[in-house]
């Protein structure tokens, strides 16, 4: 259950969806008067909506000319996000209409959906399942939340939620619409980050789905380098199972997933390989098998194993390796997805595992763990990034992803049997190199 209010954004700081809808119409028609006619609103109301949107973003979106309204560079940037929002809400309207072809009042327009606060209440309830908690987090009454949900349901002609033993949960037709609501709110959050980037500043929250392998070297270095250049960015990582991360990616709770590649969970997701690595047999330094020049399958079965869970790709690879060589599978003493637990068991016992040296780099560099002389022929895995097809990442997320790709490139160039050495591949972190200069500049400023 998600209870982090910051994950949804602040309704007061998010762009007003109604103002954004008016902005899109003015941008498409080229003028206030034409937009007023198409929206059946007074020209003064259209002008006020545009003015309030520009005031909230603190930037000019249109150039006012005698021939009409022309988008500025900032206006073009906002328009790209706004069109994506309209596409999401128009899809909901079309789906709702298809469910009620004879009900003319249902989903005839998306105007009822262009209300930021209502959408936020809905997505929070979808995650938290408890209406009083949503009301408390937003600083409103429970009847206000209930009325907002009822209004959305009336406009769509379908219930979004149903009561279950553990609270309010999305209905079958409501679940995909709520995912689209989340994507709408994500686009709204990105608008301010886009505007800041136009001014040369990167800000906003980046959320990365971090699978185990990249948490040791690649992602920490990438984060450190990005924060050194862009200190106003905030970075969050989620360490959930891959299936949960894919679900978060589909509804824009996660910007991208980084780690070992797995079969895609949805046709709207796409992957890109960053590098490939060998898997090796690992044990503690001084393990009885570390003194053997050749290790056979019978040796491997004499010792306890700590491995990933049965459904994981790595476990499937390990099982397939033993089966293909005509040997029984090792019976694991411990199954875990927790790298800290696995590390502790390897260091303190005679347990064995198969993993990459990259993932346990620090233990290998200090000599506490070793790769045993038992080639795991053909046991490799690809490390890459998973994104949502067609998603437009925020400037901060793009910067972090570019940094990941830069750091991954020299790893990809290494032979498969060579373990990456961060000092040789990347040198010192950017923030480490910059620290003396920063300290000197800050001290000088304080003395003056």
């Amino acid at each position: 259950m998600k209870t982090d209010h910051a994950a949804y954004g602040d309704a007061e700081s998010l762009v007003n969806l109604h103002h954004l809808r008016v902005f899109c119409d003015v941008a498409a028609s080229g003028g206030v008067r034409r937009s007023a006619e198409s929206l059946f609103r007074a020209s003064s109301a259209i002008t006020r909506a545009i003015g309030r949107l520009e005031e909230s973003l603190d930037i000019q979106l249109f150039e006012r000319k005698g021939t009409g309204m022309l988008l500025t560079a900032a206006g073009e940037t906002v328009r790209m996000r706004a069109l994506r929002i309209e596409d999401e809400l128009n899809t909901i309207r079309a789906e709702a209409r298809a469910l009620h072809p004879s009900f003319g009042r249902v989903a005839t327009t998306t105007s009822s959906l262009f209300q930021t606060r209502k959408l936020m209440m809905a997505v929070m309830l979808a995650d938290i399942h408890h209406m009083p908690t949503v009301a408390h987090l937003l600083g409103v009454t429970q009847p206000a939340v209930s009325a907002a949900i009822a209004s959305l349901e009336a406009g769509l002609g379908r219930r979004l939620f149903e009561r279950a033993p553990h609270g309010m949960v999305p209905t079958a037709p409501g679940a995909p619409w709520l995912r689209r609501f989340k994507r709408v709110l994500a686009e709204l959050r990105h608008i301010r980050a886009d505007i800041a980037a136009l001014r040369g500043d990167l800000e906003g929250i980046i959320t990365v789905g971090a699978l185990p392998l990249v948490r040791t070297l690649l992602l920490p270095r990438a984060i450190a380098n990005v924060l050194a250049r862009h200190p106003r960015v905030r970075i969050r990582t989620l360490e959930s199972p891959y299936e949960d991360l894919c679900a978060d990616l589909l509804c824009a709770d996660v910007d991208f997933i980084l780690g070992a590649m797995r079969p895609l969970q949805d046709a709207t997701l796409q992957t890109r390989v960053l590098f490939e690595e060998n898997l090796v047999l690992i044990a503690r330094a001084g393990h009885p098998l570390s003194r053997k020049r050749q290790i056979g399958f019978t040796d491997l079965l004499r010792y306890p194993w700590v491995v990933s869970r049965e459904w994981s790709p790595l476990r499937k690879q390990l099982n397939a390796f033993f089966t293909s060589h005509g040997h029984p599978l090792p019976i694991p003493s411990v199954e875990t997805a927790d790298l800290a637990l696995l590390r502790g068991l390897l260091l303190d016992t005679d347990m064995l595992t198969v993993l990459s040296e990259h993932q346990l780099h620090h233990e290998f560099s200090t000599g506490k763990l070793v790769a045993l002389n038992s080639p795991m022929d053909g046991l490799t895995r690809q490390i890459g990034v998973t994104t949502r097809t067609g998603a437009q990442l925020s400037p901060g997320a793009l910067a972090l992803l570019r940094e990941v790709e830069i750091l991954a490139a020299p790893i990809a160039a290494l032979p498969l049997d060579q373990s990456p050495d961060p000092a040789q591949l990347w040198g010192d972190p950017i923030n480490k190199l910059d620290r003396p200069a920063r300290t000197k500049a800050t001290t000088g400023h304080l003395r003056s």
Side-chain angles (χ1 to χ4, degrees), residues 130-143 145:
H130 190 239
M131 199 172 288
T133 301
V134 172
H136 173 72
L137 289 172
L138 291 176
V140 299
T141 63
Q142 181 176 338
V145 177

Side-chain angles (χ1 to χ4, degrees), residues 68-87:
M69 307 271 282
L70 299 179
L71 287 170
T72 63
E76 289 285 1
T77 299
V78 173
R79 182 171 176 268
M80 293 302 295
R81 295 284 181 197
L83 290 176
R84 301 171 78 84
I85 289 172
E86 282 199 334
D87 182 61

Side-chain angles (χ1 to χ4, degrees), residues 164-179:
H166 59 285
M168 302 295 291
V169 298
T171 61
W177 292 344
L178 287 161
R179 283 196 295 270

Side-chain angles (χ1 to χ4, degrees), residues 59-72:
I59 202 164
Q60 186 175 341
L61 301 176
F62 290 100
E63 292 181 20
R64 277 76 169 171
K65 295 184 178 293
T67 55
M69 307 271 282
L70 299 179
L71 287 170
T72 63

Side-chain angles (χ1 to χ4, degrees), residues 102-109 154-155:
S102 61
F103 189 8
R105 290 179 300 160
V106 172
T108 56
T109 176

Side-chain angles (χ1 to χ4, degrees), residues 50-125:
I50 296 299
R52 288 172 180 170
L53 179 59
E54 291 181 323
E55 182 182 359
S56 71
L57 295 174
D58 192 25
I59 202 164
Q60 186 175 341
L61 301 176
F62 290 100
E63 292 181 20
R64 277 76 169 171
K65 295 184 178 293
T67 55
M69 307 271 282
L70 299 179
L71 287 170
T72 63
E76 289 285 1
T77 299
V78 173
R79 182 171 176 268
M80 293 302 295
R81 295 284 181 197
L83 290 176
R84 301 171 78 84
I85 289 172
E86 282 199 334
D87 182 61
E88 296 286 359
L89 297 181
N90 283 336
T91 299
I92 294 174
R93 179 189 65 176
E95 292 174 351
R97 179 178 291 167
L99 290 171
H100 290 271
S102 61
F103 189 8
R105 290 179 300 160
V106 172
T108 56
T109 176
T110 54
S111 59
S112 62
L113 300 178
F114 275 79
Q115 299 187 49
T116 308
R117 200 167 185 82
K118 285 184 180 180
L119 300 192
M120 179 173 289
M121 290 176 180
V123 301
M124 290 180 72
L125 184 58

